[in-house]
Amino acid sequence: MILVTGGAGFIGSNFILNWIAATGEPVVNLDKLTYAGNLENLVSLKQDARHIFVHGDINDRTLVSKLLEQHRPRAILHFAAESHVDRSIHGPEDFIQTNITGTFHLLEEVRAYWQSLAAAEKNAFRFLHVSTDEVYGSLGADDAPFSETTPYAPNSPYSASKAASDHLVRAYHHTYGLPVLTTNCSNNYGPYQFPEKLIPLIMLNALNGKALPIYGDGMNVRDWLYVGDHCDAICAVLAKGHLGETYNIGGWNEMTNLDVVHTVCAILDKLHPDSPVTPHASLITYVKDRPGHDRRYAIDARKIEQELGWKPKENFETGIQKTVQWYLDNMQWVENITSGTYQKWVDKNYGGRNVS
Ligand code: NAD
Ligand code: DAU
């Protein structure tokens, strides 16, 4: 049994679907179901006893303690977070509450549980903290990619809150011996991503003939990784990672935002020629830049590749093709998530069953 936090979000739900298919090992999924949490992502597991959904907050220590006692997980995979940079700029408080205070409360309950385990279980136990490359700040055009020894220099309230949580996780290892692992990953894309993030936002606006907003000059660079490759990397770190270490995860796939948007538009031109406005790229509109917008992220993924033998299976060309096709095939999911009816769907389908 493993316990996943934030398993109804984009990466967490991809992780649970892949994990249960690959290992069959049961998962307790603790998720607050914020605007970003969507149980419809996990509908294929609705009748599956290996997925136990618990509606709750990582800040609820009574609940976390009860879940640990009841299910006795061998590992915690901590995905739960407020994840969107723009939202952190408009209102940082939830980011502090969940990413910092929430991680602290979770760590405290996990520490108490871990200390109560018998020697063999205690040795085998793992706390894997899922974090981001944004903690390293911004690179210049000629700088070497981020490595695990790059100093932290977070620039947004989001990245600062993630950096704080990384430091807490590190401290619980060095102070209390908690067996932790931390991953710092680059930008993910793929199925079930909430359409506030660049790729799904562009795709859906393009399909609806709406402007495609490009912040600043569109030359900011991100290192894109298909979400399934991120999930595989997390499995590799959980199975083989060295305690107390951090692992950078990335796809060696640096692209400017403009290139990403043009690629998505070109795929849509082929797969969806009947959109209200074509070519889709004619909708590109330059808008005011994001405050403090990091110019470039790039990941040096040699450590995880060489030490743990992980490599991404998808390149951007194959991954983005699959992703666009997934959204075209799942327009009802998009409709539900954008209209807000998915909360009603949750109540209808999980009402009375979702609290452990
Ligand atoms: P997401 O916003 O899609 O999902 C977050 C999930 O956490 C949601 O289901 C939400 O309901 C849940 N949640 C939020 N606050 C909670 C709380 N207090 N208690 C319990 N559950 C809570 O995020 P994502 O994109 O899937 O990211 C998952 C993790 O991966 C985050 O920690 C993020 O920092 C990290 N990360 C994301 C990316 C990316 O490109 N999306 C890249 C690197 C790292
Ligand atoms: O690098 C990992 C991080 O990637 C994760 O930790 C975050 O959780 C995740 O949200 C993502 O952060 P970004 O800020 O890089 O992702 P976002 O999709 O918001 O933006 C990607 C780039 O596109 C960024 O340079 C801003 C730009 N952008 C974004 C939006 C939403 C636009 O130009 N227009 C837009 O409308």
Side-chain angles (χ1 to χ4, degrees), residues 193-271:
Q193 188 166 32
F194 193 81
E196 64 188 352
K197 306 286 180 357
L198 180 70
I199 289 180
L201 180 119
I202 291 299
M203 221 183 306
L204 301 181
N205 279 14
L207 288 172
N208 290 309
K210 291 192 193 159
L212 311 182
I214 305 282
Y215 298 165
D217 63 2
M219 297 307 282
N220 300 66
V221 171
R222 298 291 183 265
D223 177 354
W224 294 94
L225 184 71
Y226 187 69
V227 63
D229 283 323
H230 185 188
C231 295
D232 287 349
I234 289 171
C235 289
V237 173
L238 180 66
K240 297 182 274 184
H242 300 293
L243 294 187
E245 299 267 319
T246 69
Y247 293 88
N248 282 356
I249 304 171
W252 302 103
N253 232 328
E254 285 185 62
M255 288 176 80
T256 64
N257 293 337
L258 259 187
D259 281 345
V260 167
V261 171
H262 276 290
T263 306
V264 169
C265 288
I267 297 173
L268 286 176
D269 288 344
K270 286 207 185 99
L271 297 183

Side-chain angles (χ1 to χ4, degrees), residues 83 132-134 158 187 197-198 213 215 222 257 290 293:
S83 69
T132 170
D133 61 356
E134 298 201 13
Y158 163 69
N187 285 62
K197 306 286 180 357
L198 180 70
Y215 298 165
R222 298 291 183 265
N257 293 337
R290 172 187 279 175
H293 196 176

Side-chain angles (χ1 to χ4, degrees), residues 182-198:
T182 294
T183 55
N184 295 92
C185 188
S186 62
N187 285 62
N188 284 215
Y189 66 98
Y192 304 115
Q193 188 166 32
F194 193 81
E196 64 188 352
K197 306 286 180 357
L198 180 70

Side-chain angles (χ1 to χ4, degrees), residues 41-356:
N41 302 359
L42 296 163
V43 68
S44 61
L45 296 174
K46 194 166 163 253
Q47 305 296 342
D48 193 322
R50 294 170 300 179
H51 176 235
I52 301 163
F53 178 70
V54 181
H55 185 193
D57 191 326
I58 53 171
N59 280 297
D60 182 346
R61 287 179 60 166
T62 308
L63 174 63
V64 172
S65 161
K66 187 182 129 205
L67 291 178
L68 293 170
E69 280 310 313
Q70 185 182 347
H71 297 289
R72 318 226 31 104
R74 69 175 181 94
I76 314 293
L77 286 99
H78 179 32
F79 293 87
E82 287 294 333
S83 69
H84 192 43
V85 174
D86 290 330
R87 284 180 188 256
S88 83
I89 294 166
H90 294 299
E93 189 158 353
D94 286 348
F95 290 73
I96 308 306
Q97 279 310 326
T98 286
N99 300 1
I100 307 178
T101 309
T103 300
F104 162 69
H105 285 142
L106 181 66
L107 281 167
E108 277 291 272
E109 290 307 324
V110 170
R111 176 167 74 95
Y113 164 71
W114 171 72
Q115 280 170 338
S116 75
L117 294 174
E121 284 89 42
K122 207 172 168 191
N123 283 337
F125 185 80
R126 298 287 181 268
F127 181 95
L128 192 151
H129 175 57
V130 179
S131 192
T132 170
D133 61 356
E134 298 201 13
V135 297
Y136 299 121
S138 185
L139 293 168
D142 299 324
D143 291 339
F146 302 130
S147 77
E148 287 78 358
T149 55
T150 302
Y152 274 34
N155 288 321
S156 70
Y158 163 69
S159 53
S161 68
K162 291 297 290 187
S165 66
D166 291 10
H167 291 323
L168 281 170
V169 170
R170 176 190 156 88
Y172 273 63
H173 177 67
H174 287 272
T175 306
Y176 306 112
L178 189 71
V180 308
L181 299 153
T182 294
T183 55
N184 295 92
C185 188
S186 62
N187 285 62
N188 284 215
Y189 66 98
Y192 304 115
Q193 188 166 32
F194 193 81
E196 64 188 352
K197 306 286 180 357
L198 180 70
I199 289 180
L201 180 119
I202 291 299
M203 221 183 306
L204 301 181
N205 279 14
L207 288 172
N208 290 309
K210 291 192 193 159
L212 311 182
I214 305 282
Y215 298 165
D217 63 2
M219 297 307 282
N220 300 66
V221 171
R222 298 291 183 265
D223 177 354
W224 294 94
L225 184 71
Y226 187 69
V227 63
D229 283 323
H230 185 188
C231 295
D232 287 349
I234 289 171
C235 289
V237 173
L238 180 66
K240 297 182 274 184
H242 300 293
L243 294 187
E245 299 267 319
T246 69
Y247 293 88
N248 282 356
I249 304 171
W252 302 103
N253 232 328
E254 285 185 62
M255 288 176 80
T256 64
N257 293 337
L258 259 187
D259 281 345
V260 167
V261 171
H262 276 290
T263 306
V264 169
C265 288
I267 297 173
L268 286 176
D269 288 344
K270 286 207 185 99
L271 297 183
H272 209 270
D274 300 335
S275 294
V277 180
T278 54
H280 294 88
S282 64
L283 292 164
I284 286 176
T285 307
Y286 291 89
V287 300
K288 193 164 163 283
D289 207 355
R290 172 187 279 175
H293 196 176
D294 285 336
R295 192 64 174 168
R296 175 178 166 236
Y297 303 144
I299 282 280
D300 178 341
R302 279 177 297 179
K303 179 175 173 183
I304 186 170
E305 290 177 359
Q306 289 166 10
E307 287 187 15
L308 308 185
W310 170 86
K311 263 201 188 314
K313 295 192 185 94
E314 306 288 345
N315 56 41
F316 191 72
E317 224 171 283
T318 59
I320 195 66
Q321 189 78 33
K322 278 165 87 158
T323 302
V324 174
Q325 190 63 60
W326 185 87
Y327 277 85
L328 291 175
D329 293 343
N330 289 276
M331 288 313 282
Q332 191 57 51
W333 179 92
V334 171
E335 171 65 25
N336 291 346
I337 204 165
T338 44
S339 68
T341 55
Y342 78 95
Q343 284 300 353
K344 286 187 207 132
W345 182 92
V346 168
D347 293 344
K348 184 163 157 263
N349 288 280
Y350 283 82
R353 283 209 319 117
N354 59 351
V355 181
S356 174

